[in-house]
Amino acid sequence: MFYDKDCNKLLLKNKIITVIGYGSQGHAQAQNLKDSGIETYVCLKNNSKNIEKVQKDGFKVIDINEAVLKSDILVILIPDEDQRDLYYDYIEKNIKEGKTIIFSHGFNIHYKQIIPKNNLNIILVAPKAPGHTVRSTFCEGSGVPSLIAIYQDYNKKSFEIALSYSMCIGSGRVGIISTSFKEETETDLFGEQSVLCGGISSLIICGFETLVEAGYSPDLSYFECLHEMKLIVDLIYEGGIKNMRYSISNTAEYGDYYVMNEYYYNIFKKKMKKILKNIQNGNFSKNFILDKKSNFIKLNIFREYYSNHLIENVGKNIRKMFNWKHKKIIN
């Protein structure tokens, strides 16, 4: 684990950094860099709807050709599925020897969608939180942990640059962890699919459907299977699973162990090993890339189906009835 004391901020002081993209991670990392005193530009498409916002945030907007020519460090923060075209259409032919490219996810490098020129520094700096949290914690004087990795170290200073960059986006305040592109990519995809997104979503929807199909109220089914999820996750976040189990009733704790041992554990482990294998052998990435080439036919079908699921309509109506006391209602 590395912290601010291990980082040399001066390494970036005379560097020109361009952040490509101004989405979740793009806006956060760019603003944190600027507030850390680093000369930072933002690269957007000429017709981007974010141009005015970026300018209001105090950045000069440049196009990709200017970014490649003038920047010491390019930070590619557009969606994974668009990075290959960006690299081969604009970057590879024009980028100069010794320049640095930073990614925040190892997908395109690890799965060989981008095979960079061997005279570049290729670095990973992956904050472990959504962009709005990267920004809000920085503004509070804290930060989120980041993973760093080096794929190519042409100038023999890539690790120090990764530390310095991480410091400037706030991660040195809480912790920076060294890893590899392979490990970051595969564990990130696995965590998203098996637990954080796919796992939780599947549990919530299956639980909701099971209760509703058994004749229970959709409203109460929503509360039991979705609404209370945050309360449990907060307890786990604060002190681990042990803290959550300490905080719940004996009935809930006994039910936790009972169901885990009798029903879930062995089944989930078998399924998760298949999920991990599918990531390791490249099958998931191939399917994702193929769907992108077909304009995300499968992705859009899934989005349409699940956005109209009963649990979404029930939740929308319930959330409107809560007394949020001036908090914004999320539909």
Side-chain angles (χ1 to χ4, degrees):
M1 190 79 76
F2 300 90
Y3 303 95
D4 278 351
K5 64 181 177 61
D6 305 302
C7 308
N8 181 6
K9 186 177 179 180
L10 295 177
L11 278 178
L12 299 187
K13 272 297 185 180
N14 297 317
K15 305 287 186 185
I16 297 175
I17 298 180
T18 297
V19 174
I20 303 175
Y22 207 70
S24 174
Q25 286 293 334
H27 91 278
Q29 294 189 34
Q31 290 184 46
N32 291 2
L33 288 168
K34 180 167 69 71
D35 288 351
S36 294
I38 306 303
E39 185 175 2
T40 308
Y41 296 87
V42 173
C43 174
L44 297 173
K45 293 179 180 178
N46 292 330
N47 60 350
S48 173
K49 62 183 179 181
N50 284 327
I51 290 178
E52 186 175 343
K53 173 177 173 52
V54 172
Q55 292 172 335
K56 284 183 178 179
D57 288 341
F59 295 98
K60 179 180 178 181
V61 178
I62 59 177
D63 66 23
I64 186 61
N65 295 311
E66 183 179 0
V68 173
L69 290 176
K70 77 185 301 179
S71 304
D72 299 297
I73 299 173
L74 294 173
V75 188
I76 301 181
L77 296 178
I78 61 175
D80 289 330
E81 64 269 20
D82 297 328
Q83 292 181 12
R84 175 185 168 87
D85 288 346
L86 174 83
Y87 179 81
Y88 286 108
D89 289 347
Y90 298 102
I91 296 176
E92 187 188 44
K93 294 180 181 177
N94 299 315
I95 192 167
K96 298 293 177 60
E97 175 183 347
K99 296 295 182 73
T100 298
I101 300 178
I102 294 178
F103 295 87
S104 281
H105 185 30
F107 185 95
N108 280 280
I109 295 295
H110 176 55
Y111 289 119
K112 308 299 183 186
Q113 292 302 295
I114 295 174
I115 301 176
K117 296 165 68 174
N118 59 16
N119 61 358
L120 302 173
N121 304 302
I122 305 297
I123 296 173
L124 175 78
V125 178
K128 299 308 293 179
H132 68 270
T133 306
V134 174
R135 180 57 181 163
S136 64
T137 54
F138 180 92
C139 292
E140 293 164 0
S142 182
V144 303
S146 278
L147 304 180
I148 61 172
I150 309 303
Y151 184 75
Q152 288 183 177
D153 187 17
Y154 183 73
N155 286 346
K156 308 304 179 188
K157 292 184 178 179
S158 295
F159 192 78
E160 288 77 12
I161 291 173
L163 286 175
S164 182
Y165 185 93
S166 300
M167 177 187 184
C168 291
I169 63 171
S171 295
R173 300 169 179 175
V174 288
I176 304 163
I177 303 169
S178 179
T179 183
S180 66
F181 272 72
K182 177 182 187 296
E183 186 174 48
E184 185 276 334
T185 302
E186 293 180 356
T187 56
D188 185 69
L189 292 175
F190 177 80
E192 291 168 351
Q193 293 174 29
S194 66
V195 181
L196 305 177
C197 304
I200 289 177
S201 297
S202 298
L203 277 176
I204 290 172
I205 290 173
C206 287
F208 174 84
E209 289 179 350
T210 299
L211 288 177
V212 172
E213 289 166 6
Y216 296 97
S217 160
D219 289 0
L220 290 181
S221 300
Y222 174 88
F223 270 101
E224 293 298 335
C225 296
L226 189 151
H227 177 78
E228 291 191 37
M229 178 68 73
K230 182 183 186 305
L231 309 178
I232 297 299
V233 170
D234 283 350
L235 291 171
I236 294 172
Y237 181 80
E238 290 166 6
I241 296 174
K242 183 178 179 180
N243 178 65
M244 179 272 290
R245 287 171 170 160
Y246 172 80
S247 304
I248 60 180
S249 68
N250 288 336
T251 313
E253 186 181 5
Y254 182 85
D256 177 345
Y257 300 132
Y258 177 77
V259 170
M260 182 176 180
N261 286 286
E262 294 293 325
Y263 296 100
Y264 282 164
Y265 189 82
N266 289 328
I267 294 173
F268 282 1
K269 281 288 289 292
K270 289 178 182 177
K271 296 296 184 183
M272 286 183 176
K273 286 181 179 180
K274 290 183 178 180
I275 293 169
L276 181 57
K277 188 69 174 178
N278 202 42
I279 292 168
Q280 291 172 329
N281 63 22
N283 283 340
F284 169 75
S285 64
K286 290 175 184 175
N287 288 330
F288 177 74
I289 292 163
L290 284 173
D291 199 40
K292 193 266 181 181
K293 290 180 179 177
S294 65
N295 294 317
F296 285 127
I297 290 176
K298 288 183 179 179
L299 180 59
N300 287 320
I301 290 173
F302 289 142
R303 280 176 176 165
E304 178 70 18
Y305 175 79
Y306 285 108
S307 65
N308 293 307
H309 192 282
L310 177 62
I311 197 171
E312 297 296 346
N313 296 321
V314 169
K316 182 177 181 180
N317 292 329
I318 287 177
R319 291 190 296 272
K320 285 181 178 178
M321 292 187 285
F322 284 144
N323 180 8
W324 293 103
K325 294 184 178 179
H326 310 300
K327 287 186 178 181
K328 182 180 178 181
I329 295 175
I330 301 173
N331 290 328

